[in-house]
């Protein structure tokens, strides 16, 4: 079996270097260079970015399967966090009352939308290897980025009802959506961390169908408590919601949200894409955006 030795970009080409193995002739070694100028399948896109069958551990796959979520720590280093925080606040100040309007505004929160077009620092978010491997593991078919947004719960606000991002789903339907929460600040028990109810991605219907008041605490709910730089990938059919921020500081996060390719995006990336964004992206990134 040939294994990927390296993936790199030269101008508009994605170059994949394979380690060639020929078991029939007892030969192992050498590199085969494969140039990709156009991506035609999601498997080609994620492979070009460097995703392999080993990108996720078995424990991480099992967590997505059984619990409906997985937390990756240390996904952003201190320098990356500093850059993202600065850009976050720059955009909030620049956009003011219009912040988030491309997709959604929510009382008690600050929101940003269309981050794909608002800074090169966001490129590595929706093209992250671990993230893409997790999304593919959940959706198991062609997918695309639905939106790249940000949300922070301001002090004294942020509580959301338990919900799934797809609405009602039949028991044997495939999964349609997968979300990720990128922690720009620490998530603590008091600052509006996201709550999730493990295993509910397997259920049909809505929380109320099971006698659950979605605004109340669920007896099996867990809080995503993790340091800044962590990423939580959620099967978006999982019941989840923001909690009340009981501190005096805001709590910031980004959401890279994906959908199966046959569905509409939350934000039409082709309609919003800017030339300077398109020009800097690899063919694989363009395929993931569906532009």
């Amino acid at each position: 079996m040939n294994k990927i030795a390296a993936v790199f970009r030269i101008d508009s080409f994605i170059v994949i270097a394979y380690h060639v193995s020929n078991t029939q002739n007892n030969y192992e070694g050498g590199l085969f260079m494969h140039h990709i100028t156009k991506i035609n399948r999601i498997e080609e896109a994620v492979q070009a970015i460097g995703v392999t069958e080993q990108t996720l551990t078995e424990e991480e796959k099992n967590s997505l399967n059984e619990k409906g979520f997985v937390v990756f720590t240390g996904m952003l280093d201190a320098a990356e966090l500093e850059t993202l925080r600065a850009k976050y606040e720059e955009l909030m100040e620049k956009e003011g009352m219009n912040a988030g309007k491309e997709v959604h505004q929510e009382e008690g929160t600050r929101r940003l939308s269309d981050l794909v077009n608002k800074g090169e620092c966001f490129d590595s978010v929706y093209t992250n290897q671990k993230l893409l491997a997790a999304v593919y593991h959940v959706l198991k078919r062609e997918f695309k980025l639905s939106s790249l947004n940000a949300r922070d719960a301001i002090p004294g606000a942020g509580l959301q009802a338990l919900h799934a991002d797809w609405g009602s789903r039949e028991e044997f339907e495939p999964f349609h959506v997968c979300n990720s929460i990128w922690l720009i600040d620490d998530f603590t028990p008091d600052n509006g961390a996201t709550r999730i109810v493990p295993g509910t991605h397997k259920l049909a219907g809505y929380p109320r169908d099971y006698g659950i008041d979605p605004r109340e605490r669920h007896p099996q709910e867990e809080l995503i408590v993790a340091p800044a730089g962590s990423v939580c990938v959620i099967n978006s059919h999982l019941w989840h919601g923001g909690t009340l921020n009981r501190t005096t500081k805001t709590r910031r996060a980004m959401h890279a949200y994906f959908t199966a390719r046959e569905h509409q995006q939350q934000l039409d990336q082709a309609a919003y894409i800017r030339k300077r964004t398109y020009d800097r992206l690899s063919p694989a990134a363009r395929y993931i955006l569906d532009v």
Side-chain angles (χ1 to χ4, degrees), residues 127-175:
T127 60
N128 179 273
Q129 293 176 3
K130 293 282 276 190
L131 171 61
L132 294 176
V135 174
Y136 188 78
H137 183 78
V138 169
L139 300 181
K140 302 187 187 307
R141 64 192 187 280
E142 289 280 332
F143 66 82
K144 58 191 173 184
L145 183 77
S146 187
S147 60
L148 182 60
N149 306 319
R151 175 187 186 270
D152 59 285
I154 64 174
L159 179 65
Q160 293 178 318
L162 284 173
H163 64 280
D165 291 336
W166 184 255
S168 181
R169 169 183 164 271
E170 297 301 321
E171 187 175 357
F172 298 105
E173 249 186 277
F175 298 125

Side-chain angles (χ1 to χ4, degrees), residues 94-108:
K94 178 181 177 181
E95 297 184 17
M97 297 297 291
N98 292 317
K101 272 191 173 179
E102 299 95 332
V103 172
H104 178 59
Q105 292 181 315
E106 176 189 359
E107 186 177 355

